[in-house]
């Protein structure tokens, strides 16, 4: 059985698919049914109900997600934030402390700074690139450490193997948001992380048409997350399950293209006279290049850069581009462009942004799967007119 599922593309297409096929349907049908006939005392497991995450659409996705990332178990959720908040609430209790990287995804940042303290859970921010800071922040109540595989929007990478080793040494649950790398470029359970979290809204679905999330990792912890999710009610609807399921089948071929396109664009931007800075861990000049080469099978489609001329020039470039759509979010087949100071990081004060190294003129680019040549021509034309 397992030998059938060795390669990633085969897993993406076949893992978790029901055998025998249901009524011969080649594509798993959508079970748009909130509840299912009860099988009496002979039924294995609890009644089937959408909120219990156990309809055929959920179980197929769980198996596919588990196998592509090498985890013991997986759970799909109604959004990336449902995955993150549910997992943190499953792992932490009042009196515990959480160690987190300082430049977190905005939604996660507000959850850990606004909601966790209300529940009596303490939060300590760490500089992930400075291990002595981790030891300094450690207390006997620290129960978990939480990082992101590539940070937003500066695309920093930290020594994730050292994070895993630190967590093991100090008996912490290690958690990572693996959204930016996707299971193609990095598989946290294989690298020793206890829990890997995803916004499946991004690369896993890949078509900017679904909101979903996932938690993948240690079976005992996934069972805790599943119980918490049932209480919090963040189940994924079967129709969205089906959309995600379809999107995932092409994940590897899309990711290879995202990886390649972003690298070509980063190389183009780096040599352009009007560009003063390019942040992409796949660039040989990046301070994170060797870490990324060591950890990842690719650097994904996300990059950020600065143009000469500040905010006005940045806005002018975004307005002149024909292909990338100016919109937040990422990981879809179409390229998206934003200025984080006005979108993902607009709730931060300009001063806090400055401290975090996010200038008001920084541009973030989510590279789609268009032809790199066309994207580069578009950027070249835009840059020549600002
Ligand atoms: C988008 C995103 C999330 C939140 O996911 P939703 O699906 O929007 O809830 C979490 N982490 C990262 C890194 C993201 O990009």
């Amino acid at each position: 059985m397992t030998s059938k599922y060795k390669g990633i593309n085969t897993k993406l297409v076949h893992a978790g698919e029901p055998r025998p096929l249901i009524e011969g349907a080649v594509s798993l049908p959508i079970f748009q049914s909130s509840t299912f006939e009860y099988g009496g005392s002979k039924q294995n497991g609890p009644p089937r109900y959408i909120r219990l995450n156990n309809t055929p659409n959920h179980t197929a996705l769980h198996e596919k997600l588990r196998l592509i990332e090498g985890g013991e178990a997986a759970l799909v959720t109604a959004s990336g934030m449902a995955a993150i908040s549910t997992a943190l609430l499953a792992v932490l209790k009042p009196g515990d402390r959480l160690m987190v990287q300082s430049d977190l995804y905005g939604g996660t940042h507000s959850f850990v700074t606004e909601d966790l303290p209300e529940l009596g859970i303490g939060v300590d921010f760490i500089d992930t690139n400075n291990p002595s800071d981790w030891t300094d922040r450690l207390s006997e109540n620290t129960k978990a450490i939480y990082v992101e595989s590539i940070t937003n929007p500066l695309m920093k990478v930290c020594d994730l193997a050292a994070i895993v080793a630190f967590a093991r040494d100090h008996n912490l649950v290690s958690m990572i948001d693996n959204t930016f790398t996707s299971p193609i470029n990095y598989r946290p359970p294989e690298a020793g992380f206890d829990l890997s979290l995803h916004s499946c809204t991004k690369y896993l679905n890949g078509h900017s048409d679904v909101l979903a999330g996932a938690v993948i990792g240690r079976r005992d912890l996934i069972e805790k997350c599943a119980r918490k999710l049932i209480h919090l009610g963040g189940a994924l609807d079967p129709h969205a399950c089906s959309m995600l399921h379809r999107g995932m089948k092409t994940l590897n071929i899309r990711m290879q293209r995202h990886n390649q396109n972003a690298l070509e664009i980063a190389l183009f931007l780096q040599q352009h006279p009007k560009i003063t800075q390019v942040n992409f861990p796949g660039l040989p000049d990046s301070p994170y290049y060797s870490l990324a080469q060591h950890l990842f099978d690719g650097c994904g489609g996300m990059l950020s850069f600065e143009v000469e001329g500040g905010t006005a020039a940045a806005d002018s470039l975004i307005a002149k581009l024909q292909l990338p759509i100016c919109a937040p979010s990422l990981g879809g087949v179409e390229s998206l462009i934003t200025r984080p100071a006005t979108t993902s990081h607009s709730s931060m004060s300009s001063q806090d942004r400055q401290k975090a190294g996010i200038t008001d003129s920084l541009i973030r680019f989510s590279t789609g799967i268009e032809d790199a040549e066309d994207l580069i021509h578009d950027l070249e034309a835009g840059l020549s007119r600002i």
Side-chain angles (χ1 to χ4, degrees):
M1 196 69 177
T2 38
S3 66
K4 272 202 306 201
Y5 295 152
K6 223 164 163 203
I8 187 71
N9 294 294
T10 314
K11 285 181 191 170
L12 285 164
V13 174
H14 290 289
E17 302 295 324
R19 290 290 185 277
L21 296 171
I22 298 164
E23 294 290 324
V26 168
S27 170
L28 177 63
I30 304 174
F31 286 81
Q32 199 69 45
S33 181
S34 58
T35 187
F36 289 71
E37 186 178 22
Y38 179 58
S41 54
K42 278 184 269 154
Q43 176 165 326
N44 272 336
R48 283 193 292 174
Y49 184 65
I50 292 174
R51 185 166 45 73
L52 303 183
N53 306 294
N54 59 2
T55 79
N57 294 106
H58 292 93
T59 52
L61 266 182
H62 292 162
E63 185 65 357
K64 208 181 279 291
L65 284 162
R66 176 183 90 75
L67 281 167
I68 61 170
E69 205 161 80
E72 292 172 2
L75 176 69
V76 283
T77 62
S79 69
M81 279 314 298
I84 292 163
S85 55
T86 301
L88 286 169
L89 293 174
V91 165
L92 300 164
K93 59 180 191 325
D96 289 348
R97 299 195 73 80
L98 170 71
M99 207 176 250
V100 284
Q101 93 178 28
S102 43
D103 34 7
L104 283 174
Y105 171 76
T108 309
H109 185 270
S110 38
F111 180 73
V112 304
T113 54
E114 292 168 26
D115 298 306
L116 289 186
E118 277 185 9
L119 299 167
I121 297 163
V123 176
D124 299 300
F125 286 97
I126 53 164
D127 174 356
T128 46
N129 285 302
N130 178 10
S132 70
D133 194 38
W134 316 348
T135 322
D136 291 349
R137 306 271 164 208
L138 195 68
S139 83
E140 58 182 71
N141 295 326
T142 309
K143 290 291 151 58
I145 185 164
Y146 183 107
V147 296
E148 295 175 354
S149 54
I150 299 179
T151 71
N152 178 35
L154 295 174
M155 315 304 156
K156 294 186 193 169
V157 179
C158 75
D159 187 346
L160 297 172
I163 296 278
V164 167
F166 180 82
R168 292 228 165 124
D169 285 349
H170 300 284
N171 225 351
L172 311 178
V173 175
S174 52
M175 308 171 74
I176 182 168
D177 182 333
N178 196 35
T179 302
F180 271 41
T181 18
S182 91
I184 301 304
N185 291 335
Y186 189 57
R187 289 162 297 284
E190 287 177 0
F193 275 95
D194 295 314
L195 287 177
S196 165
L197 305 144
H198 287 275
S199 168
C200 305
T201 311
K202 317 294 169 52
Y203 289 116
L204 277 157
N205 176 61
H207 294 74
S208 310
D209 51 10
V210 147
L211 204 73
V215 192
I216 308 169
R218 251 170 59 186
R219 183 176 306 282
D220 60 324
L221 293 174
I222 296 293
E223 280 168 7
K224 275 187 163 184
C225 293
R227 274 200 298 282
K228 194 61 81 179
L229 189 70
I230 288 169
H231 298 158
L232 296 172
L236 188 64
D237 178 80
H239 187 258
C241 282
S242 172
M243 302 274 281
L244 172 59
H245 191 127
R246 178 170 68 172
M248 276 174 60
K249 290 181 187 175
T250 55
L251 178 65
N252 188 47
I253 51 179
R254 283 187 284 106
M255 281 318 293
Q256 298 311 325
R257 183 63 167 238
H258 288 295
N259 289 345
Q260 184 61 30
N261 277 1
L263 177 61
E264 285 181 33
I265 289 169
L267 287 168
F268 160 76
L269 289 171
Q270 190 183 38
Q271 55 75 49
H272 196 283
K274 286 188 184 165
I275 301 291
T276 56
Q277 170 71 27
V278 182
N279 303 307
F280 182 65
L283 277 179
D285 289 354
S286 161
Y288 308 107
Y289 180 74
S290 59
L291 262 178
Q293 291 294 305
H294 182 66
L295 292 165
F296 305 149
D297 294 333
C299 290
M302 297 301 295
L303 56 102
S304 60
F305 59 96
E306 306 254 8
V307 285
E308 218 173 63
T311 311
D315 280 341
S316 162
L317 175 65
I318 291 172
K320 286 184 172 67
L321 296 176
Q322 306 280 309
L323 289 174
I325 299 162
C326 179
S329 198
L330 61 112
V333 292
E334 61 288 299
S335 292
L336 301 179
I337 193 164
T338 57
R339 196 152 65 73
T342 63
T343 52
S344 55
H345 292 69
S346 59
S347 62
M348 272 169 98
S349 72
S350 174
Q351 233 174 358
D352 283 350
R353 275 199 302 269
Q354 218 69 28
K355 252 201 320 211
I358 304 162
T359 63
D360 284 354
S361 54
L362 184 76
I363 294 175
R364 191 186 81 167
F365 197 89
S366 169
T367 314
I369 63 167
E370 301 95 334
D371 293 289
E373 225 181 22
D374 288 336
L375 292 169
I376 288 171
H377 279 158
D378 195 22
L379 283 162
E380 201 162 31
L383 283 164
S384 74
R385 292 169 54 218
I386 61 167

